[in-house]
Structure formats: C-alpha cells, structure tokens
Amino acid sequence: MTSLDKPTATNDPQPGQPSPPGAGDRPGQHAKAVTEAALFEAFGGVRGMVETVVPGLLFVTIYTINKDLHVSAIAALGVSLLLVLVRLARKDTVKHAFSGVFGVAFGVVFAMMTGNAKDFYLPGMLYTLGLGLAYVITALAGVPLIGLVLGPVFKENLSWRTRNPGRKKAYTKASYAWGLILLAKCAILFPLYWWADTTQLGWVLVALKIPPFLLAVYLTWIFLAKAPPPIDVFAEMEAEEAAEKAEKERRAAARQPES
C-alpha cells in the first residue's frame, strides 16, 4: 500500500491562503479507495457476484417452468463450467468461478442422489452455516477469519495480530459482522428448506445471494477504512534484504586493499 504520510511543508498553503478543497480529506479518501480495491479483489467484484448468482437462478427458473430436476441441474452445472471456460479464455483469475463450479457440482450430486430438488441448495446452505460459525468463533478466539483472508491482499499477512492492534480490532468487528449476517441468512433459509417447496426456497435463496454479501462487504469497508493503515511486510522484507546487500558490499569494499 502506498504511504499515507502528511504533505510536506512545500505543499502547504501559505499563511492567509485557503486550503485546497478537500485537502485534509485526501489521506482518508486514499485509504478508503485502497480498501475498496482490495475488497473487490478478494471477493471477486461485480463479476464474481454475478457468477455466484447465475447457476442458482438458472436452476430455479428452469425447475419452476418444467419441474425437471435433471434438466435444471445439468443446466446449472453447464453454465458454471461455461463461466470457468470464459475466464480461462480471457486469462482471468478463476478461483471464484471454480468455487462456483464445486458448489454447483455438490448440489447436483446431492439432488441426484436423493431425488429431492431442494437438496440442490443444501450443500451451499451448510457451507454458509459453517462459514458463519467460523467467522464468529475465530473472532472470539482473537484470530478473526476476515483478517486471515484479507491480510495477504493488503500485503500485511499476520502483522495485524501483534503489531497493529487497531487493525486487529477492525478485523474482529468485520468478522462478527460477516458471521452474524450469514447466520441470520441461515435462520431464514433452513426453515424454508423444511417447510417450503423447491421453487419458493430457490427464489428466496437467489434473492438473498447478493444483499447480505454487499452489506457484509460494506461494513468491512467501513471498519477497515477507519482503521490504521496496514503494515506492508513485503516492503519491509525487501528493505531488509537491500540493507543486508548494501552492508555486504560495504564490508567487501572495506576489505579491498587501497590502490
């Protein structure tokens, strides 16, 4: 991350002159912009959200029309594979698309084995439940999961645990937010799994795909934008290596006899 140092004296307004509009907000605005970019990278951005919604939307749409489990499942799996192929062709990051394929594949297997179309959604619901619990438990344990996910993205790795308490606090708050949002989503979906039919469950699940995710990302952005900047451990390691190299060169030069 770029430095957020204060402006030098040469850039300060002269006495009696007004400050440039928004000059005092530039460091904060920069921190928010960097945080926003990192979150988009970590969670796949708009395209990643679309890729998580399309397979389930296609499944419930087809099933609502013809009630054919096999056609609906094959169509959902097919579009997931197509999204991966598109990313591969464009040489884009495929981790989000691959995770979507695995999720859809598990859903297809469950539904085919039981013959119950609602089981197409069960693996994803169980994953959401487990993830929600993981966020809360790791936050309680002092190792918030969102910090483990975003640390490498911000090039800080685990430095926030011992060297940046303000950032650790922000990650803890964000993990609680993610956990509670996901558990609230489960509190809606699991009763529907038992009591509602497949189409009702499917449309509610599609409707709950993006809004809770956006809320969690927004709260994470708020917490991190107000937190201290991350410690770039990669830059520190590079600086240490450069200092060691310079010291070795200095010693080698000192050992050479004068001409």
Side-chain angles (χ1 to χ4, degrees):
M1 176 178 288
T2 56
S3 175
L4 300 181
D5 295 337
K6 293 181 179 180
T8 60
T10 56
N11 293 328
D12 290 337
Q14 298 298 320
Q17 293 181 346
S19 300
D25 296 331
R26 284 173 187 168
Q29 290 173 352
H30 179 73
K32 290 181 179 180
V34 171
T35 300
E36 181 180 352
L39 289 175
F40 262 81
E41 177 185 343
F43 297 115
V46 175
R47 186 173 179 182
M49 288 188 290
V50 171
E51 290 174 344
T52 62
V53 172
V54 169
L57 177 61
L58 186 61
F59 178 90
V60 70
T61 300
I62 295 176
Y63 191 83
T64 300
I65 295 171
N66 61 17
K67 305 298 182 184
D68 191 318
L69 169 60
H70 292 80
V71 173
S72 303
I74 292 172
L77 184 58
V79 76
S80 297
L81 292 171
L82 178 61
L83 292 172
V84 171
L85 292 176
V86 170
R87 279 189 174 265
L88 288 173
R90 294 169 57 92
K91 298 181 179 180
D92 293 335
T93 303
V94 296
K95 61 181 179 179
H96 299 289
F98 267 128
S99 64
V101 168
F102 287 130
V104 172
F106 277 116
V108 169
V109 170
F110 267 62
M112 293 295 188
M113 289 177 58
T114 64
N116 184 354
K118 284 196 291 187
D119 287 341
F120 173 80
Y121 304 110
L122 186 57
M125 292 167 56
L126 292 174
Y127 173 78
T128 300
L129 176 61
L131 189 60
L133 291 173
Y135 275 119
V136 173
I137 292 171
T138 55
L140 288 171
V143 191
L145 180 58
I146 198 69
L148 301 178
V149 173
L150 295 181
V153 177
F154 285 107
K155 300 180 180 180
E156 61 182 334
N157 285 348
L158 297 179
S159 63
W160 50 267
R161 288 196 62 198
T162 55
R163 300 172 58 191
N164 206 338
R167 200 151 180 90
K168 180 180 178 180
K169 184 177 180 181
Y171 280 138
T172 300
K173 289 180 179 179
S175 286
Y176 277 126
W178 276 90
L180 294 176
I181 288 170
L182 293 180
L183 292 177
K185 179 178 175 179
C186 290
I188 297 172
L189 293 178
F190 276 96
L192 290 176
Y193 174 80
W194 295 108
W195 299 329
D197 60 32
T198 301
T199 56
Q200 291 172 335
L201 173 63
W203 286 113
V204 171
L205 195 146
V206 168
L208 290 178
K209 273 284 186 179
I210 293 182
F213 173 82
L214 289 179
L215 176 59
V217 170
Y218 175 73
L219 291 175
T220 302
W221 177 72
I222 291 293
F223 295 142
L224 292 181
K226 295 180 179 180
I231 299 171
D232 191 336
V233 295
F234 295 103
E236 288 183 342
M237 289 188 290
E238 291 174 356
E240 290 176 2
E241 291 175 358
E244 290 177 1
K245 182 178 179 180
E247 179 64 18
K248 290 179 180 178
E249 292 175 350
R250 185 190 66 79
R251 291 177 180 176
R255 288 195 296 265
Q256 292 179 354
E258 296 182 0
S259 55

